[in-house]
Amino acid sequence: MSVVPSPCSASQPASQSASQSAGWLTGWLLGNAFPGHDRRVRSFALLAAVLPDADGLPIIYDFIHDSLVDPGPVHLYWYVTLHHALGHNVFALALVSVVLAWLTPGSWKRRVGAWALYVLCFGLHIACDLVGTQWGIYILWPVSEYRMTGLLGYRWPLESWQNYAVFCVLFSVAVGMFLWR
């Protein structure tokens, strides 16, 4: 099943400065917000929060292909086709959270608690991308090509003041948590 390319301009991939940093901060904050988690669970929470964006890695292939094989304008076909599809869906959420929970050492209770944290981190990333980007999310890919755009009618561009404000709040909370320890 193919994915319909997103409406984002292929010639200008979206910058992910504040948005990507907010993803890292969200994972770190959630991993450290609940007491009793060791370093591995906190690291896995961070990984669960940023792993959805691994579907943007085809941009590397696109740049190499477009510069070496087909010189001229950069088309970014695979990036535009797969980003927010391959890693931003409920099936990827289930797979990643179950694998990370399975890799978490300890009792089944500890693993279930860690699994819930991983689902929260991954799911929050998807929810934030629904609101904080113009791309939309292929939430049921590869079963369906339906693209969700926005959450409850809210949606703004990636490089908007709202995303920078979220980043500033998350960064302030992270600094506060770090200093409080």
Side-chain angles (χ1 to χ4, degrees):
M1 179 173 280
S2 66
V3 175
V4 179
S6 73
C8 184
S9 169
S11 62
Q12 298 177 347
S15 168
Q16 296 191 7
S17 56
S19 179
Q20 189 64 39
S21 300
W24 286 90
L25 282 171
T26 301
W28 187 87
L29 287 169
L30 288 172
N32 285 282
F34 303 102
H37 290 306
D38 63 6
R39 182 178 295 191
R40 181 177 295 189
V41 172
R42 292 192 307 267
S43 298
F44 283 172
L46 177 65
L47 186 62
V50 297
L51 205 53
D53 279 334
D55 64 6
L57 289 176
I59 198 169
I60 296 168
Y61 171 80
D62 284 335
F63 274 124
I64 292 170
H65 178 269
D66 290 346
S67 356
L68 300 177
V69 178
D70 185 18
V74 177
H75 299 291
L76 303 179
Y77 173 78
W78 289 109
Y79 175 75
V80 171
T81 301
L82 295 177
H83 190 54
H84 284 194
L86 190 61
H88 289 72
N89 60 68
V90 294
F91 304 109
L93 182 148
L95 177 67
V96 167
S97 60
V98 166
V99 168
L100 291 177
W102 179 71
L103 293 172
T104 301
S107 67
W108 70 270
K109 279 185 166 182
R110 185 172 188 271
R111 287 181 177 187
V112 168
W115 170 82
L117 176 62
Y118 306 148
V119 168
L120 178 64
C121 290
F122 199 107
L124 192 57
H125 178 116
I126 292 173
C128 288
D129 277 356
L130 275 171
V131 174
T133 69
Q134 294 287 324
W135 285 68
I137 304 291
Y138 294 94
I139 198 75
L140 295 174
W141 189 85
V143 175
S144 170
E145 292 183 10
Y146 172 70
R147 184 170 57 90
M148 287 181 71
T149 54
L151 190 63
L152 303 174
Y154 294 99
R155 181 172 82 154
W156 51 76
L158 184 66
E159 294 294 333
S160 65
W161 70 266
Q162 295 97 329
N163 283 343
Y164 285 108
V166 167
F167 169 76
C168 289
V169 168
L170 290 173
F171 185 75
S172 300
V173 171
V175 168
M177 283 179 67
F178 180 76
L179 294 176
W180 184 261
R181 292 180 168 202

